[in-house]
Amino acid sequence: MYIGEASQKTGLSIKAIRFYEARGLIKAPERMGRYRVYKESDLELLRLIKEAKAMGISLSQLQQVISYQNGQIDWRTIKTFLAEVRQQLIQRITDIQDKIALLDSCYEQIDITEA
């Protein structure tokens, strides 16, 4: 499929797709004459990039984990990275819960009585 259809199917602008290609996040797709021809695997990676960005993952982080083995996307590395991000989020939740508990404790210790 051409870039316009890839844009529609991923919800990304044509400009964003070209930008990700220029940054090396996706491999330059094969060409049919002057036109880029995207495969379903390209769309899967583009969707992942879009979702990762929505979660706050930077493009530079993605650049470090998106790689290809024998011309195919190395999903194993990406999956490992996403598991690490998940663990970091869980740790942040735990940290926030600990701070809330400390705040609750401080709040309970404050005695507001009128003299």
Side-chain angles (χ1 to χ4, degrees):
M1 79 193 70
Y2 297 137
I3 195 167
E5 187 177 352
S7 172
Q8 288 178 335
K9 288 188 174 189
T10 61
L12 293 166
S13 68
I14 291 172
K15 184 177 178 180
I17 293 171
R18 288 183 178 143
F19 177 73
Y20 297 151
E21 185 181 324
R23 293 273 311 256
L25 290 165
I26 64 169
K27 275 183 134 180
E30 295 178 17
R31 290 187 174 266
M32 185 176 287
R34 298 178 357 168
Y35 299 100
R36 295 171 172 95
V37 180
Y38 293 86
K39 297 183 238 171
E40 189 59 38
S41 60
D42 297 320
L43 298 186
E44 289 171 4
L45 188 54
L46 288 167
R47 287 184 193 109
L48 171 78
I49 293 166
K50 180 181 177 183
E51 292 168 2
K53 280 189 61 194
M55 289 186 286
I57 298 171
S58 71
L59 294 180
S60 61
Q61 287 175 294
L62 290 172
Q63 278 180 309
Q64 294 174 18
V65 298
I66 295 174
S67 62
Y68 292 82
Q69 297 288 333
N70 301 320
Q72 301 294 318
I73 299 165
D74 182 5
W75 288 107
R76 184 178 305 252
T77 301
I78 293 169
K79 189 171 182 176
T80 300
F81 169 73
L82 292 176
E84 291 169 3
V85 169
R86 182 180 188 281
Q87 189 57 44
Q88 290 169 2
L89 289 173
I90 289 170
Q91 184 60 51
R92 285 174 52 193
I93 289 169
T94 301
D95 292 345
I96 290 170
Q97 289 172 333
D98 290 347
K99 288 177 183 178
I100 290 171
L102 181 60
L103 179 64
D104 288 345
S105 176
C106 290
Y107 179 80
E108 302 263 334
Q109 291 177 22
I110 296 174
D111 183 22
I112 304 177
T113 56
E114 292 187 45

